[in-house]
Structure formats: structure tokens, C-alpha cells
Amino acid sequence: MKPLRDAQRDVLAAVQRLESVRVPVAEALGLALAEPVSARHDLPPFANSAMDGYAVIASDVAIAPVTLKVLEDVPAGSVPTREVVPGTAIKIMTGAPLPAGADAVVQVEDTDPGYDEVLIRIGAPAGTSVRPAGEDVAIGTQVLAAGERLTPARLGVCASLGYHEPLVGRRPRVAIMSTGDEIVPPNTPDLQPGKIRDANRFTLGGALEELGVSVIDFGIVGDDADELRARLAQAAAAADAVVSSGGVSMGEYDLVKALLSELGSVDFWKVAMKPAKPFAFGRVAGTPFFGLPGNPVSVAVAFEQFLRPALLHMMGAERLFRPRVWGVLEDAVETDPEKTVFLRVNVGSGADGRLTASLSGAQGSNILTALAAADALAVVPVGTAGLASGSLVELEMIRMEEARSAMEVIGG
Ligand code: AMP
Ligand code: MG
């Protein structure tokens, strides 16, 4: 068996970064920057008011109440035309530029406006409610590094600094297909004996979409060499990577193996992991090919361990692996000491402030519902024959449902 680390290393070594392209910021979510983002101007670009109120000279209002003459009114988007001089104020809205002469803003709640004057009831020290130019980012500062993936907040940063078309790694196109004579489309009205509805194309397609990949669906392919050969060749020509599920374990091994060695160079690995031990990887007509096992949970685990890091690498992302955190396992488990074992678990917060992990259902590689309920994969390392309840375990967070623990608290 091939150690998981070695398999991951070999996969990463075999895939290459795609070229960089400029993409409208609105279409760049999830993509990795191929250039650093630096401030070409201060952000905010000018000193402005943090409140609706009156721009004043702080020393004028040090002893309040005091009445000041109002020179003009500056809404956001306008610029002041007057200078605040002793005894005067300028009415200002949030986001409007601070007028020359002023060094503080008194919020409107602390004033009594009159016709062309204002009573300042509570004074404000210099700097109050003023957002200096460059408070967030000073001109010239690097804010984001190449290799960082664009989250919603980072899209906002790009936009505010004028990176309306950031340079990013191109979005990979990934062809997916399900294989197996037993697999039928989900809209099949009456399941014939021996047939099952396709789950994998949807688990896989969804995971790929979440990653920011464009998915090309090559449907279901029967266990037939000619059909598979044709479909794989089409997929390899259309995509940056091809992913299939099923047909890589012992039963059909030989058929697919012979076919794949004819189309390209694909290795069949037995990776020391559970689930997802059988895994085929290589090239079909030059395109990276990932042959995942058929069991739905194996598909998800193989996606997490191989496909996701490989695609992130192709996208030019710097961080390829999900963060791991430690938690307390609440169930006792027996595991194969020769394999890295991934358990499907729910994550919560324990009374002592530590995270807890409990099995989200039965652990068979066909149990889709336990996967669907899981927040994390708990990682039991090689050399461990099991874990007692209460053991610390590493958790690879694959999905954290909003407010799971809060709902438990509210529910009693
Ligand atoms: P295989 O790797 O082809 O031997 O398949 C392993 C198991 O996964 C078998 O029980 C298959 O029926 C099941 N399986 C394969 N492909 C799919 C799929 N697309 N959706 C759901 N189950 C599948
Ligand atoms: Mg099969």
C-alpha cells in the first residue's frame, strides 16, 4: 500500500498551474490571485466623517454647550468649499470629506440644530468621528498576496483599490463521469432490479462548484470498454482534468486498467487510507485523470485528499489543504492500524470549551447519510488501532453548519 502522504505528493507533483487571466472582480470568487494587491491610493482616499454631525475645531467645543455658525452642508459624495474657522462648523454626513480647519466631528445626537447655527451640547476631543486618509490601508501597502483565494471580503478589497479585473489563476474545467452498469440517472422513475440512482456525479459536481471549478458533465458510462474509451477521450480533450467514479477496484480493474494504459499512462494505487483505498491516477491523452472508487463516501474522501488540493494547485492557490483542529472524540472506535482512517463526525463545542466530535452515522463507505450529516473528517493516523472515547483527534473541517451548537443551546 502507498502511504497517503506519498500519494498526495505524487498527485501534486503531476499537476501544473494553469495560466493566469484577468477576470472581472464580480466573477473572481474562489479564484487565487496571481498578483499581489497593493494600495495605489490611501484607503479611505481622504479623511472623512464617521458620523452624521458637525465638523468643528475641537478646541472650540472644549467647553460645551457652545453655539457655532454653520457655514455649509456637505453630503457624502460632495466636497466642502469652505474652511472651518473658530466659531464656525460645517454640517457633514457620514463618508463626506472632512473640511479644512476641522479636526473633529460632533455627532448630530449631541447637537441642537438651529437655522444657520448649531448648539453643540457635548464637545468632542480632536480626532473624534474622523476617519483619517489611509486609516485602513496606506498607499503602497500590500494587502493581499499572490496565491490567496478571493473570498467575498477580498473581492471587496480588490474593488476598493481599483483592481476591478484582478489577475487570477484560470478557472479549471473539470470533466466528471460516473461509471457502472448499475448506475441510472436520478430521474429514473422506476428502479429496475439491480440498478441504483447516480449519487457521485452530484456529490462530486457540487464539491467542484464550491471550489470554483467549472464542471463539464459527461454523464453515466456503462462498464463497457468501447463506451468508456470514447467518453474518456472526449472528456480529456474538453477539460483540464478528468474525474470518474467507480470501476477502479478489483472487480473491473483489468478492463479499465488495460483501457487506460492504451489511452495514456494511469497508475492504479492502493493507498493506505480508509475509505478510498483504490485510486487510479495519471494522464489520459495528456490530461490529468483521477479515477475515484465508486462508493459515495470514498468519492468524497478522495475528493478531499487528492482532487481538491490538486485543483487548488492548478488554480495557483498557496494553501492546498483544509485547516485541521483538535477535538475530543466522544465515541470509541476501532481502526485499521495500517491505514489513515477518516471518520465522518459532527463537531460541537464541549462544556470545557474544547471541540467535540461524534460519529455522524455508520462508517461504511456506502453510507451517504453519515457523510451528508458530517461537519468534519476525523483523522485517525497510521499506527493507531483505535481510539478510546475521550481521545484527542484531528478534525479536517469539511463543512460547518451554521449555528449547530447555538440551536442546541436554544433548544435546551
Ligand atoms: P465500484 O468501485 O465500481 O466497484 O463501485 C463500488 C460501489 O459503489 C458499488 O456498490 C457501486 O454500486 C457503488 N457506486 C458506484 N458508482 C456509484 C454512483 N455513481 N452513485 C452511487 N453509488 C455508486
Ligand atoms: Mg462499478
Side-chain angles (χ1 to χ4, degrees), residues 326-399:
W326 290 92
V328 181
L329 187 65
E330 293 189 319
D331 301 285
V333 294
E334 284 180 13
T335 58
D336 183 342
E338 297 196 344
K339 296 176 184 165
T340 304
V341 176
F342 294 92
L343 306 168
R344 275 68 71 206
V345 296
N346 288 134
V347 175
S349 52
D352 58 2
R354 293 193 293 181
L355 294 178
T356 59
S358 52
L359 300 180
S360 62
Q363 296 291 309
S365 60
N366 58 326
I367 309 294
L368 250 175
T369 50
L371 176 70
D375 301 309
L377 298 173
V379 190
V380 186
V382 170
T384 308
L387 292 174
S389 163
S391 306
L392 280 175
V393 69
E394 267 190 304
L395 304 171
E396 223 173 81
M397 304 303 303
I398 55 171
R399 179 187 66 92

Side-chain angles (χ1 to χ4, degrees), residues 178-179 182-183 196-200 245-249 252 293-296:
S178 292
T179 74
E182 76 279 32
I183 312 299
I196 59 167
R197 293 196 174 94
D198 188 2
N200 293 345
S245 70
V248 293
S249 50
E252 299 139 285
N295 275 305

Side-chain angles (χ1 to χ4, degrees), residues 47-49 53-61 68 71 74 80 82-86 88-92 96-106 124-131:
N48 66 95
S49 179
Y54 291 83
V56 299
I57 301 168
S59 58
D60 258 10
V61 299
L68 302 174
L71 301 177
V74 187
R82 307 283 301 273
E83 185 176 340
V84 176
V85 294
T88 69
I90 287 179
K91 189 170 185 198
I92 190 170
L98 191 74
D103 61 0
V105 173
V106 177
T128 303
S129 298
V130 173
R131 303 189 286 212

Side-chain angles (χ1 to χ4, degrees), residues 204-394:
L204 204 49
L208 290 167
E209 269 179 36
E210 250 182 23
L211 198 57
V213 158
S214 31
V215 177
I216 315 176
D217 187 355
F218 277 80
I220 299 168
V221 193
D223 291 316
D224 173 86
D226 289 335
E227 202 186 337
L228 194 56
R229 181 186 296 115
R231 205 75 70 93
L232 281 173
Q234 275 180 340
D240 300 304
V242 176
V243 187
S244 70
S245 70
V248 293
S249 50
M250 277 317 221
E252 299 139 285
Y253 195 101
D254 288 332
L255 168 87
V256 182
K257 187 173 187 176
L259 174 64
L260 286 168
S261 57
E262 167 199 320
L263 285 175
S265 54
V266 174
D267 283 333
F268 286 76
W269 295 345
K270 284 192 175 61
V271 185
M273 67 190 288
K274 186 180 179 175
K277 181 177 78 167
F279 176 52
F281 177 71
R283 282 174 194 284
V284 169
T287 303
F289 168 78
F290 298 77
L292 312 187
N295 275 305
V297 180
S298 306
V299 166
V301 172
F303 170 83
E304 288 294 330
Q305 302 309 314
F306 300 116
L307 200 50
R308 190 177 182 278
L311 289 168
L312 285 172
H313 179 63
M314 290 169 74
M315 293 161 80
E318 203 59 54
R319 296 186 190 177
L320 307 181
F321 294 94
R322 298 232 198 228
R324 287 186 179 184
V325 293
W326 290 92
V328 181
L329 187 65
E330 293 189 319
D331 301 285
V333 294
E334 284 180 13
T335 58
D336 183 342
E338 297 196 344
K339 296 176 184 165
T340 304
V341 176
F342 294 92
L343 306 168
R344 275 68 71 206
V345 296
N346 288 134
V347 175
S349 52
D352 58 2
R354 293 193 293 181
L355 294 178
T356 59
S358 52
L359 300 180
S360 62
Q363 296 291 309
S365 60
N366 58 326
I367 309 294
L368 250 175
T369 50
L371 176 70
D375 301 309
L377 298 173
V379 190
V380 186
V382 170
T384 308
L387 292 174
S389 163
S391 306
L392 280 175
V393 69
E394 267 190 304

